[in-house]
Amino acid sequence: MTASIQQNRQQVSERLLTPGEVASLFRVDPKTVTRWATAGRIGSIRTPGGHRRFRESEVQALLATLTTEASHPVDTR
């Protein structure tokens, strides 16, 4: 099996999260998550019905980045 086929299978089987699920992870309103997607801050997939879904791996990566930044504040003195 080639690497691209394995990657495609992984992408297909990856869990997709709703805006509400993402919002609860970040402790923000679901509309904020939609605004982030519109602004390009986080990628989203559209369902055939037009609803947004977010790749769990991408959400977790953004959450880890923001958590790391928050735990290491920049000294502005």
Side-chain angles (χ1 to χ4, degrees), residues 14-69:
E14 183 172 8
R15 184 161 179 250
L16 299 176
L17 305 175
T18 65
E21 291 170 324
V22 176
S24 65
L25 290 171
F26 285 94
R27 295 189 173 114
V28 297
D29 190 87
K31 266 300 202 199
T32 300
V33 176
T34 301
R35 280 192 224 100
W36 290 347
T38 301
R41 187 170 184 185
I42 187 169
S44 67
I45 298 168
R46 294 284 188 149
T47 67
H51 300 280
R52 289 187 191 268
R53 295 294 181 265
F54 301 89
R55 286 185 182 90
E56 186 175 32
S57 63
E58 188 174 345
V59 171
Q60 294 295 340
L62 180 59
L63 188 60
T65 300
L66 295 175
T67 303
T68 301
E69 289 175 6

Side-chain angles (χ1 to χ4, degrees), residues 3-15:
S4 63
I5 292 173
Q6 285 179 324
Q7 185 178 14
N8 287 341
R9 281 191 176 174
Q10 183 181 16
Q11 288 174 350
V12 170
S13 66
E14 183 172 8
R15 184 161 179 250

